[in-house]
Amino acid sequence: MSQEKAPVLIVGGGLAGLSAAVFLAHHGVKATLVERHPATSTHPKARAINPRTMELYRAIGMEERVTAGRSPISGNTDLVHVETLAGDERVRMPNASIDDISRISPAQWTLIDQNQLEPILRKRAEEVGVDLRFHTRLDTATEDTDGVTATLTHLGTGETSELRAEYVVAADGSRSPLRELLGVGTHGRGTLTNLVSFFFDANLEEALRGRKIIAAYVNNPEVRGTIIPIDNDRKWVINVSFFPEKGQSTRDFTPERCVELVRAAVGVPDLPLTIESVNMPAWDISARVADTFTTGRFLIAGDAAHVMPPTGAFGASTGIQDAYNLAWKLALVLSGKAGQELLATYDSERRPVADETVRQAMLRFAVREGKQYQEVAKDLVDETTMTFGYAYPEGAFVGEDPNLWTVTEDPDKPSGRPGSRAPHVVVAGEHGPFSTVDLFPVGFTLLTAGPAAPWAAASAVGRDLGLLLNVRGIGEGGEYADTEDTFKQRYGISDGGAVLVRPDGFVAWRSNGGPDGDVAQIVSDLLRRILFLD
């Protein structure tokens, strides 16, 4: 059997795996991706991509493509908890408005179904040279000191092959066979409910009463589930819970029973409807996080690393952000421009974020299951804060006082501290105004408060280390005008100060004032420390 080679093998062709492939290609790494299914998902599943994730697609030139593929429900705003759709609302969950988000980011929420987004990512992966192998199963993966040897089987032909990779990304879903193979455990509540999904056609205009729902969470004695619009007209999907411990199974969901359940959920006993599909595979809502996201040359991402209830629309975006955090680190390690220890920071950064995100999703799920909103409100962190305001406790950055660290901060009042997202500030250059977020598509960036000249030697240090490092002055005397006079405040520095931003748009280090010593030595020491080069 001949042995093929790849720098990175990605196992799983869902949102996290495909995103990892295109992010790696953005950093110059052409991965091989295997996915056991013959094609991308046919089920809507995840339905929303948050604006932080859209910033990532924006950085690699995909924002317009993703936005163009948005769902027909992209203008919908309502997340409601009801006994029946036609009955009274128990709770209407608060949503951040676009106006609020525009103060924080140049990107916006994008409602796009998973079965719409995955083909867009697959096409992009093909364009940038990713070796995509759908209908292919990973059978074994054996690690040694230099890499991993994987055996693969094409499920259509039965042909087996062997591939040698330096690193393997496990993005193979919530039940991750690869995570199980690696013996990586999980923590959390585990399975919360088992569900089946089926599509139906009906006119729900009267029950909706003018509401434009993203989802309606139904809880009554006859049915517990979620009604979700597909085309904002007559096509819907309903996810219904069933309980094996009570002797229930997928066999109970006959077409006749599905009609009864839809009518019970809508609250119209004689509702005319057509069931479009049954016998779809059962799935579950779970809450768990892998005990580690890294083990040897294996890196765990997406649902394989963390799975959470869909309440809050956190799951897909959290997995895609895993991939973005991981891609630049893998690229630098593979090119010899960073020590292998840099990959350990993927776990130390992303796992605490996953733990908090799962906790937040669980609080929202408790409301869906019948708990009063007031009972959980004091512990809830709003979606905008969870989207932009999470911060890493430790990792590939030079931290400040650890006693001041909190897992989240108000993105309207960012601290600019190392380990947090570099804040959005509107600046202007020769081509007009734009966001500082757009300065971080690749490489490191040193932002200075005022003229860049005092810090200019940093660029040469970057070149000496084989890194792209751009120095940009903002404000009076700088390359870009600070149009709203907020840069220093939002980044927590004063005149002459500087902020080093990583390739993923997170703050790596900052100096409140001008350089205290030799700039080249300061920056060299910083980069070598951040990238584990000593």
Side-chain angles (χ1 to χ4, degrees), residues 51-94:
R52 171 58 187 159
T53 301
M54 289 303 295
E55 288 180 355
L56 312 187
Y57 289 141
R58 179 186 182 99
I60 65 166
M62 284 192 63
E63 182 183 33
E64 290 185 3
R65 284 197 196 189
V66 175
T67 302
R70 61 188 179 273
S71 167
I73 73 163
S74 59
N76 295 19
T77 57
D78 300 332
L79 284 166
V80 297
H81 294 258
V82 298
E83 289 190 14
T84 68
L85 188 63
D88 295 334
E89 291 181 10
R90 289 180 48 245
V91 176
R92 180 175 293 208
M93 298 299 287

Short mmCIF file of all heavy atoms in Angstrom, two decimals, residues 51-94:
data_model
loop_
_atom_site.label_atom_id
_atom_site.label_comp_id
_atom_site.label_asym_id
_atom_site.label_seq_id
_atom_site.Cartn_x
_atom_site.Cartn_y
_atom_site.Cartn_z
N PRO A 51 -21.67 37.54 14.49
CA PRO A 51 -20.83 38.52 13.81
C PRO A 51 -19.34 38.34 14.04
O PRO A 51 -18.54 38.73 13.18
CB PRO A 51 -21.32 39.87 14.33
CG PRO A 51 -22.31 39.60 15.38
CD PRO A 51 -22.69 38.17 15.35
N ARG A 52 -18.93 37.78 15.15
CA ARG A 52 -17.50 37.51 15.33
C ARG A 52 -17.04 36.47 14.30
O ARG A 52 -15.97 36.61 13.70
CB ARG A 52 -17.20 37.03 16.76
CG ARG A 52 -15.77 36.51 16.98
CD ARG A 52 -14.72 37.56 16.64
NE ARG A 52 -13.37 37.00 16.71
CZ ARG A 52 -12.31 37.52 16.10
NH1 ARG A 52 -12.43 38.61 15.37
NH2 ARG A 52 -11.12 36.96 16.21
N THR A 53 -17.83 35.44 14.09
CA THR A 53 -17.49 34.44 13.09
C THR A 53 -17.51 35.05 11.69
O THR A 53 -16.67 34.72 10.84
CB THR A 53 -18.44 33.25 13.19
OG1 THR A 53 -18.35 32.70 14.52
CG2 THR A 53 -18.08 32.17 12.19
N MET A 54 -18.44 35.96 11.45
CA MET A 54 -18.46 36.64 10.16
C MET A 54 -17.20 37.49 9.97
O MET A 54 -16.72 37.67 8.85
CB MET A 54 -19.71 37.49 10.01
CG MET A 54 -20.99 36.68 9.83
SD MET A 54 -20.94 35.55 8.40
CE MET A 54 -20.82 36.73 7.05
N GLU A 55 -16.64 38.02 11.06
CA GLU A 55 -15.36 38.73 10.95
C GLU A 55 -14.26 37.80 10.42
O GLU A 55 -13.39 38.21 9.66
CB GLU A 55 -14.94 39.29 12.31
CG GLU A 55 -15.75 40.48 12.79
CD GLU A 55 -15.28 41.00 14.15
OE1 GLU A 55 -14.38 40.38 14.76
OE2 GLU A 55 -15.82 42.02 14.60
N LEU A 56 -14.32 36.54 10.84
CA LEU A 56 -13.30 35.58 10.40
C LEU A 56 -13.46 35.29 8.92
O LEU A 56 -12.46 35.24 8.18
CB LEU A 56 -13.43 34.29 11.21
CG LEU A 56 -13.54 34.43 12.73
CD1 LEU A 56 -13.48 33.06 13.39
CD2 LEU A 56 -12.47 35.35 13.30
N TYR A 57 -14.69 35.08 8.47
CA TYR A 57 -14.91 34.87 7.04
C TYR A 57 -14.58 36.13 6.24
O TYR A 57 -14.09 36.06 5.12
CB TYR A 57 -16.36 34.44 6.79
CG TYR A 57 -16.67 33.04 7.26
CD1 TYR A 57 -17.87 32.72 7.87
CD2 TYR A 57 -15.74 32.01 7.10
CE1 TYR A 57 -18.17 31.44 8.29
CE2 TYR A 57 -16.02 30.72 7.52
CZ TYR A 57 -17.23 30.43 8.12
OH TYR A 57 -17.51 29.15 8.54
N ARG A 58 -14.80 37.27 6.83
CA ARG A 58 -14.43 38.55 6.21
C ARG A 58 -12.92 38.62 6.01
O ARG A 58 -12.43 39.06 4.96
CB ARG A 58 -14.91 39.68 7.12
CG ARG A 58 -14.61 41.12 6.67
CD ARG A 58 -15.02 42.07 7.78
NE ARG A 58 -14.82 43.47 7.46
CZ ARG A 58 -15.76 44.29 7.03
NH1 ARG A 58 -16.98 43.84 6.84
NH2 ARG A 58 -15.49 45.57 6.79
N ALA A 59 -12.16 38.15 7.00
CA ALA A 59 -10.69 38.22 6.93
C ALA A 59 -10.13 37.38 5.80
O ALA A 59 -9.05 37.69 5.27
CB ALA A 59 -10.09 37.78 8.27
N ILE A 60 -10.83 36.32 5.42
CA ILE A 60 -10.33 35.47 4.32
C ILE A 60 -11.09 35.71 3.02
O ILE A 60 -11.00 34.91 2.09
CB ILE A 60 -10.37 33.98 4.71
CG1 ILE A 60 -11.80 33.49 4.90
CG2 ILE A 60 -9.54 33.72 5.96
CD1 ILE A 60 -11.93 31.98 4.96
N GLY A 61 -11.85 36.82 2.97
CA GLY A 61 -12.52 37.20 1.74
C GLY A 61 -13.79 36.45 1.43
O GLY A 61 -14.22 36.40 0.27
N MET A 62 -14.45 35.87 2.45
CA MET A 62 -15.65 35.07 2.21
C MET A 62 -16.94 35.71 2.73
O MET A 62 -18.01 35.11 2.61
CB MET A 62 -15.50 33.69 2.85
CG MET A 62 -14.60 32.74 2.09
SD MET A 62 -14.75 31.05 2.71
CE MET A 62 -16.47 30.67 2.33
N GLU A 63 -16.85 36.89 3.31
CA GLU A 63 -18.03 37.48 3.93
C GLU A 63 -19.18 37.65 2.92
O GLU A 63 -20.33 37.30 3.21
CB GLU A 63 -17.69 38.84 4.54
CG GLU A 63 -18.88 39.50 5.24
CD GLU A 63 -18.54 40.88 5.78
OE1 GLU A 63 -17.72 41.59 5.15
OE2 GLU A 63 -19.10 41.27 6.81
N GLU A 64 -18.88 38.16 1.73
CA GLU A 64 -19.93 38.39 0.75
C GLU A 64 -20.57 37.08 0.29
O GLU A 64 -21.79 37.00 0.11
CB GLU A 64 -19.38 39.16 -0.45
CG GLU A 64 -19.04 40.62 -0.13
CD GLU A 64 -18.62 41.39 -1.36
OE1 GLU A 64 -18.65 40.82 -2.47
OE2 GLU A 64 -18.24 42.57 -1.20
N ARG A 65 -19.76 36.04 0.12
CA ARG A 65 -20.30 34.74 -0.29
C ARG A 65 -21.26 34.19 0.76
O ARG A 65 -22.33 33.68 0.43
CB ARG A 65 -19.18 33.73 -0.50
CG ARG A 65 -18.38 33.90 -1.76
CD ARG A 65 -17.62 32.61 -2.00
NE ARG A 65 -16.55 32.79 -2.96
CZ ARG A 65 -15.86 31.79 -3.46
NH1 ARG A 65 -16.11 30.55 -3.09
NH2 ARG A 65 -14.90 32.01 -4.33
N VAL A 66 -20.85 34.26 2.00
CA VAL A 66 -21.68 33.72 3.07
C VAL A 66 -22.96 34.53 3.20
O VAL A 66 -24.07 33.97 3.32
CB VAL A 66 -20.90 33.68 4.40
CG1 VAL A 66 -21.81 33.23 5.54
CG2 VAL A 66 -19.70 32.74 4.28
N THR A 67 -22.84 35.84 3.14
CA THR A 67 -24.02 36.69 3.24
C THR A 67 -24.98 36.45 2.09
O THR A 67 -26.20 36.41 2.27
CB THR A 67 -23.60 38.17 3.26
OG1 THR A 67 -22.71 38.40 4.36
CG2 THR A 67 -24.81 39.08 3.42
N ALA A 68 -24.44 36.23 0.90
CA ALA A 68 -25.29 35.98 -0.27
C ALA A 68 -26.07 34.68 -0.14
O ALA A 68 -27.14 34.53 -0.75
CB ALA A 68 -24.44 35.96 -1.54
N GLY A 69 -25.57 33.74 0.65
CA GLY A 69 -26.25 32.46 0.82
C GLY A 69 -27.19 32.41 2.00
O GLY A 69 -27.68 31.35 2.37
N ARG A 70 -27.47 33.58 2.58
CA ARG A 70 -28.26 33.60 3.81
C ARG A 70 -29.67 33.04 3.60
O ARG A 70 -30.20 33.04 2.49
CB ARG A 70 -28.33 35.00 4.41
CG ARG A 70 -28.99 36.05 3.53
CD ARG A 70 -28.81 37.44 4.17
NE ARG A 70 -29.41 38.48 3.35
CZ ARG A 70 -28.81 39.11 2.36
NH1 ARG A 70 -27.56 38.76 2.04
NH2 ARG A 70 -29.40 40.07 1.69
N SER A 71 -30.25 32.62 4.70
CA SER A 71 -31.54 31.95 4.71
C SER A 71 -32.68 32.91 4.38
O SER A 71 -32.57 34.12 4.65
CB SER A 71 -31.77 31.34 6.10
OG SER A 71 -33.10 30.95 6.27
N PRO A 72 -33.79 32.39 3.85
CA PRO A 72 -34.99 33.23 3.68
C PRO A 72 -35.48 33.83 4.99
O PRO A 72 -36.22 34.81 4.98
CB PRO A 72 -36.02 32.26 3.10
CG PRO A 72 -35.21 31.21 2.43
CD PRO A 72 -33.98 31.05 3.27
N ILE A 73 -35.08 33.26 6.13
CA ILE A 73 -35.54 33.80 7.41
C ILE A 73 -34.56 34.83 7.98
O ILE A 73 -34.62 35.17 9.15
CB ILE A 73 -35.77 32.68 8.44
CG1 ILE A 73 -34.43 32.09 8.95
CG2 ILE A 73 -36.65 31.59 7.89
CD1 ILE A 73 -34.57 31.29 10.22
N SER A 74 -33.66 35.35 7.13
CA SER A 74 -32.60 36.22 7.64
C SER A 74 -33.12 37.51 8.26
O SER A 74 -32.43 38.14 9.05
CB SER A 74 -31.61 36.55 6.52
OG SER A 74 -32.26 37.20 5.45
N GLY A 75 -34.36 37.90 7.94
CA GLY A 75 -34.91 39.09 8.57
C GLY A 75 -35.71 38.81 9.82
O GLY A 75 -36.21 39.75 10.46
N ASN A 76 -35.81 37.55 10.21
CA ASN A 76 -36.59 37.20 11.40
C ASN A 76 -35.84 37.56 12.67
O ASN A 76 -34.61 37.57 12.70
CB ASN A 76 -36.92 35.70 11.38
CG ASN A 76 -37.84 35.32 10.23
OD1 ASN A 76 -37.97 36.05 9.26
ND2 ASN A 76 -38.48 34.17 10.34
N THR A 77 -36.60 37.84 13.72
CA THR A 77 -35.98 38.33 14.95
C THR A 77 -36.43 37.62 16.22
O THR A 77 -35.80 37.78 17.26
CB THR A 77 -36.31 39.83 15.13
OG1 THR A 77 -37.73 40.00 15.13
CG2 THR A 77 -35.69 40.66 14.02
N ASP A 78 -37.50 36.83 16.17
CA ASP A 78 -38.14 36.38 17.41
C ASP A 78 -37.76 34.95 17.80
O ASP A 78 -37.89 34.02 17.01
CB ASP A 78 -39.67 36.45 17.28
CG ASP A 78 -40.15 37.87 16.99
OD1 ASP A 78 -39.45 38.82 17.41
OD2 ASP A 78 -41.20 38.03 16.35
N LEU A 79 -37.31 34.81 19.05
CA LEU A 79 -37.11 33.51 19.68
C LEU A 79 -38.12 33.43 20.82
O LEU A 79 -38.00 34.16 21.80
CB LEU A 79 -35.69 33.37 20.22
CG LEU A 79 -34.57 33.12 19.22
CD1 LEU A 79 -33.22 33.35 19.86
CD2 LEU A 79 -34.65 31.70 18.68
N VAL A 80 -39.12 32.56 20.68
CA VAL A 80 -40.22 32.56 21.64
C VAL A 80 -40.35 31.20 22.31
O VAL A 80 -40.08 30.17 21.70
CB VAL A 80 -41.55 32.97 20.98
CG1 VAL A 80 -41.46 34.39 20.44
CG2 VAL A 80 -41.94 32.01 19.85
N HIS A 81 -40.77 31.23 23.56
CA HIS A 81 -41.09 30.02 24.32
C HIS A 81 -42.60 30.02 24.53
O HIS A 81 -43.16 30.98 25.08
CB HIS A 81 -40.35 30.01 25.66
CG HIS A 81 -38.86 29.90 25.52
ND1 HIS A 81 -38.19 28.72 25.72
CD2 HIS A 81 -37.92 30.81 25.19
CE1 HIS A 81 -36.89 28.92 25.52
NE2 HIS A 81 -36.70 30.18 25.21
N VAL A 82 -43.25 28.94 24.11
CA VAL A 82 -44.72 28.90 24.13
C VAL A 82 -45.21 27.53 24.59
O VAL A 82 -44.47 26.54 24.52
CB VAL A 82 -45.28 29.19 22.71
CG1 VAL A 82 -44.90 30.58 22.24
CG2 VAL A 82 -44.80 28.14 21.70
N GLU A 83 -46.46 27.49 25.03
CA GLU A 83 -47.11 26.19 25.21
C GLU A 83 -47.55 25.66 23.85
O GLU A 83 -47.38 24.48 23.55
CB GLU A 83 -48.29 26.33 26.16
CG GLU A 83 -47.86 26.56 27.60
CD GLU A 83 -49.03 26.46 28.57
OE1 GLU A 83 -50.10 25.95 28.17
OE2 GLU A 83 -48.86 26.88 29.73
N THR A 84 -48.12 26.55 23.04
CA THR A 84 -48.40 26.26 21.63
C THR A 84 -48.13 27.53 20.85
O THR A 84 -48.16 28.64 21.40
CB THR A 84 -49.87 25.82 21.40
OG1 THR A 84 -50.73 26.94 21.64
CG2 THR A 84 -50.25 24.65 22.27
N LEU A 85 -47.88 27.37 19.56
CA LEU A 85 -47.59 28.53 18.73
C LEU A 85 -48.78 29.49 18.69
O LEU A 85 -48.59 30.72 18.67
CB LEU A 85 -47.22 28.08 17.32
CG LEU A 85 -46.70 29.17 16.36
CD1 LEU A 85 -45.40 29.76 16.87
CD2 LEU A 85 -46.52 28.59 14.96
N ALA A 86 -49.99 28.95 18.71
CA ALA A 86 -51.18 29.79 18.66
C ALA A 86 -51.53 30.38 20.02
O ALA A 86 -52.36 31.30 20.10
CB ALA A 86 -52.36 29.00 18.11
N GLY A 87 -50.93 29.86 21.08
CA GLY A 87 -51.25 30.32 22.42
C GLY A 87 -50.37 31.48 22.87
O GLY A 87 -49.66 32.11 22.08
N ASP A 88 -50.40 31.74 24.17
CA ASP A 88 -49.63 32.84 24.73
C ASP A 88 -48.15 32.48 24.79
O ASP A 88 -47.77 31.32 24.93
CB ASP A 88 -50.12 33.17 26.14
CG ASP A 88 -51.54 33.71 26.14
OD1 ASP A 88 -51.95 34.28 25.10
OD2 ASP A 88 -52.22 33.56 27.17
N GLU A 89 -47.33 33.51 24.71
CA GLU A 89 -45.89 33.32 24.89
C GLU A 89 -45.56 33.24 26.37
O GLU A 89 -46.05 34.03 27.17
CB GLU A 89 -45.12 34.49 24.27
CG GLU A 89 -45.18 34.56 22.77
CD GLU A 89 -44.36 35.72 22.20
OE1 GLU A 89 -43.59 36.34 22.97
OE2 GLU A 89 -44.49 36.00 21.00
N ARG A 90 -44.71 32.28 26.72
CA ARG A 90 -44.16 32.24 28.09
C ARG A 90 -43.03 33.24 28.23
O ARG A 90 -42.95 33.99 29.21
CB ARG A 90 -43.64 30.84 28.42
CG ARG A 90 -44.70 29.77 28.61
CD ARG A 90 -44.04 28.42 28.94
NE ARG A 90 -43.03 28.54 29.97
CZ ARG A 90 -41.72 28.32 29.77
NH1 ARG A 90 -41.28 27.97 28.58
NH2 ARG A 90 -40.87 28.45 30.75
N VAL A 91 -42.11 33.21 27.25
CA VAL A 91 -40.92 34.06 27.29
C VAL A 91 -40.58 34.44 25.86
O VAL A 91 -40.70 33.62 24.95
CB VAL A 91 -39.71 33.32 27.92
CG1 VAL A 91 -38.46 34.20 27.86
CG2 VAL A 91 -40.00 32.91 29.35
N ARG A 92 -40.13 35.68 25.68
CA ARG A 92 -39.50 36.07 24.42
C ARG A 92 -38.07 36.45 24.76
O ARG A 92 -37.82 37.39 25.51
CB ARG A 92 -40.23 37.22 23.75
CG ARG A 92 -39.58 37.64 22.43
CD ARG A 92 -40.37 38.71 21.72
NE ARG A 92 -41.68 38.23 21.26
CZ ARG A 92 -42.31 38.72 20.21
NH1 ARG A 92 -41.78 39.70 19.49
NH2 ARG A 92 -43.49 38.25 19.87
N MET A 93 -37.10 35.71 24.20
CA MET A 93 -35.71 35.94 24.54
C MET A 93 -35.22 37.24 23.90
O MET A 93 -35.55 37.55 22.75
CB MET A 93 -34.83 34.77 24.07
CG MET A 93 -35.18 33.45 24.73
SD MET A 93 -34.98 33.45 26.52
CE MET A 93 -33.18 33.42 26.65
N PRO A 94 -34.42 38.02 24.65
CA PRO A 94 -33.91 39.28 24.09
C PRO A 94 -32.88 39.01 22.99
O PRO A 94 -32.13 38.05 23.04
CB PRO A 94 -33.25 39.96 25.29
CG PRO A 94 -32.90 38.84 26.21
CD PRO A 94 -33.96 37.79 26.02
#
